[in-house]
Amino acid sequence: MRTELPVVSFICTVLVLIPLPWHWRARNTATLSIIFWLTSINFTRGVNAIVWGGNIINKAPVWCDISAKLVIGANVALPASTLCICRYLAQVASPRHAIANSSDKRRRMIFEICMCAVLPAIGMALHYVVQGHRFDILEDFGCNPTTYVSVAALFIVYIPPLVLALGTLIYAGIALRWFVHRRAQFQAVLQSNQSGLTTGRYLRLIALSITEMLFATAMTLFILVVTIEDNGIRPWVSWDFVHADWMRVDQFAKILVPQYFWDRYLLTWYIIPITSVIFFAFFGFGQEAKAEYIKYFNWVKTRILRIKPKAQPVLPVSARGGINTISSTMSTPAVIKLETETTVSRTSEKWDDAPPSSMHTNSRPPSPSVNNKDTLDVGSRP
């Protein structure tokens, strides 16, 4: 069993899910689509690596049906999502772009849902046309989709991701062109369009789309070339011929397959984890990410660890609405202090001269002179 496969898969699953909250609040359909598909593939691959570690037994055929189809859907959904991102960035940066109203936002959301969800579903359904048998099981890797390599398979499985990747690169080039031409006032342009984007986020989205598409395009071409070299393009005889033994499950053990096959498959397997790490690198270290991390940390500290935040010191407020401080007390003029001390001493002298019987009566001491206001305030204290 290759223990690194499930570890890498589940770590990448967590990394991809970290930026989910703020993208969910922003309702970024294309970015949410990338998160969904990367999470689905990483999670299913992690489970496959555990279940089929060191064996090729057909333990869960329904699970294999689902996980194999998800791989086909992700091959279409990921380039379609990046195409939607770059298309939106090119529109926002265009000088002909107006502020989007509610109907424009609705049309954009419908378009992105069709590209990121409906189109992959169509691709998964059409894959049945060129699905020669049910699925394959590879030792240590688990379930894998199978394709009857023919001219029909080229147009159904291999060419659509390449076309979407090409469209992504075209829109990314247009977006970069507008950025270069309007870079001096680009931040003001983004704010005037009410896009919710900053210059940094704009460039991160473009860089993410280009990087992922370069990886995906290179791997798609690599898989296509290797598949054609190994098997060639088979003739499409008929539907019945292709699906004659459709319920068959091919099982590949390590000792029965040449090593170069496993090296190639491992190389293509790591494309999804690398894409996941790239996605987190672009979205996991921005300002919005740091703000989310602080919020999560405070939530864990107060709700789980039950650590109460330290109370901030509150300065006393005087009757006049000001704040009494030590410095304000120390800044009392020396003349007032001197008069206060003199008044207290005079008052004490009068108390000493009074007869003893007056100490036990309820009568108040003689009032000081009315002419001295400070003396009156001090002498009136108990």
Side-chain angles (χ1 to χ4, degrees), residues 52 54-58 137-140 251-254 256:
W52 282 278
N55 69 89
I56 53 174
I57 302 173
N58 188 8
I137 296 179
L138 283 67
E139 185 177 351
D140 292 338
Q251 297 157 306
F252 297 88
K254 277 188 174 182
L256 300 178

Side-chain angles (χ1 to χ4, degrees), residues 128-133 148-150 233-248:
Y128 180 74
V129 176
V130 292
Q131 187 176 358
H133 54 277
Y148 181 82
V149 182
S150 59
I233 298 180
R234 302 174 184 176
W236 179 271
V237 179
S238 65
W239 176 278
D240 294 334
F241 177 82
V242 175
H243 299 86
D245 193 14
W246 189 84
M247 292 299 295
R248 186 180 81 251

